[in-house]
Amino acid sequence: SSRLQDAASGTTLTIDMENRPCHLPAAPIDARHPGFGKAFINAGDKEWGAKAHDDLLDAVDWAVSEGIAIEDKVAIMGGSYGGYATLSGITREPELYRCAVSYVGVSNLFTWIESIPPYWAPMIELFASRIGDWRTEEGKAFLTERSPLTHADKIVRPLLIGQGANDPRVKQAESDQIVVALRELERPVEYMVAPDEGHGFRKAANIEAAAEAELSFYGQVFEFTPAGDITPVEIHNEDAL
């Protein structure tokens, strides 16, 4: 699989090239990226789940037009903000990606901001201007609309979610919420929680387990048999694949 990496967001486009491994690094520059002046940075204000995601759509179009990707064999994967972008992507464009993988991704912007760790308190006003102000009724409505959880019913493609139980930045509740919603909707989803991890997987055993789970997941979706002796993941509601 080939991965187009957004260095700022941690979002990756995984491309199945007829089951031939290929790695193509690329970094779309969006309006949250530093180094291009204040006007460029400020253009990203309140654009989570909107213009901030358009670069990923452009990357898909580019990869397909260049013959690098096959149109119906593109997946999206990301962690942290990239996890949010992944969840947002499969609600905004339900048919574009063949499947998705989200690690420690935000599913509900309102509950996420309410649960941020104390050491982020000095940045609270920045959150309000960059993402949305949860302290006003208008802001609450805005954040709700931009939250993937609000549009969970639009998710139709298989989704794998990874979460650290001790994550102080994106609490486990963010992943729990979207998984519960999708299971109630009987959509194909698998959930892996590492009880000894925080914001992302850091321990070798957990990294290996997550990589194997992701490979098994892709194998089931793209219909190939992964090499090696790996434990297959069981996708909830896999009949909907």
Side-chain angles (χ1 to χ4, degrees):
S1 64
S2 150
R3 289 182 169 178
L4 288 148
Q5 178 84 40
D6 177 344
S9 69
T11 310
T12 297
L13 302 178
T14 300
I15 304 167
D16 176 44
M17 294 293 291
E18 297 295 349
N19 302 330
R20 289 181 290 115
C22 167
H23 298 285
L24 175 67
I29 304 300
D30 64 24
R32 292 166 295 104
H33 211 111
F36 294 87
K38 288 184 178 180
F40 189 83
I41 280 285
N42 293 338
D45 287 357
K46 297 182 176 66
E47 292 296 343
W48 280 35
K51 290 181 181 178
H53 189 75
D54 290 347
D55 287 332
L56 295 175
L57 302 180
D58 291 341
V60 173
D61 290 342
W62 172 82
V64 171
S65 67
E66 292 292 317
I68 296 169
I70 299 170
E71 188 171 8
D72 63 348
K73 290 190 175 184
V74 177
I76 183 170
M77 184 275 281
S80 194
Y81 169 82
Y84 165 80
T86 294
L87 297 175
S88 179
I90 58 176
T91 60
R92 286 189 63 194
E93 304 287 342
E95 302 290 339
L96 177 62
Y97 306 105
R98 185 76 171 271
C99 63
V101 179
S102 170
Y103 288 98
V104 296
V106 176
S107 69
N108 184 329
L109 289 171
F110 184 66
T111 58
W112 170 63
I113 290 178
E114 282 198 320
S115 68
I116 61 173
Y119 56 82
W120 277 3
M123 300 188 294
I124 204 71
E125 292 303 322
L126 184 63
F127 275 66
S129 63
R130 296 291 192 211
I131 303 170
D133 194 340
W134 63 101
R135 298 164 297 195
T136 68
E137 291 304 314
E138 181 181 3
K140 290 178 183 177
F142 178 81
L143 291 171
T144 298
E145 172 60 26
R146 291 290 174 86
S147 295
L149 182 64
T150 303
H151 310 286
D153 62 317
K154 296 179 181 178
I155 298 176
V156 295
R157 295 296 172 86
L159 172 64
L160 174 65
I161 291 182
Q163 177 69 46
N166 304 316
D167 192 338
R169 300 181 188 178
V170 179
K171 301 289 179 62
Q172 184 178 332
E174 291 302 312
S175 291
D176 288 349
Q177 291 178 80
I178 194 77
V179 169
V180 168
L182 292 175
R183 286 180 175 172
E184 289 179 349
L185 290 165
E186 298 186 347
R187 304 295 162 78
V189 61
E190 181 54 28
Y191 189 23
M192 52 183 177
V193 179
D196 54 350
E197 292 285 10
H199 193 61
F201 294 180
R202 300 291 184 266
K203 296 184 178 180
N206 293 329
I207 293 173
E208 182 178 353
E212 289 190 357
E214 195 176 332
L215 183 58
S216 171
F217 177 75
Y218 289 137
Q220 293 177 61
V221 172
F222 292 112
E223 299 181 334
F224 69 87
T225 302
D229 183 19
I230 67 172
T231 302
V233 295
E234 295 183 10
I235 303 174
H236 193 80
N237 292 319
E238 65 178 327
D239 291 342
L241 283 174

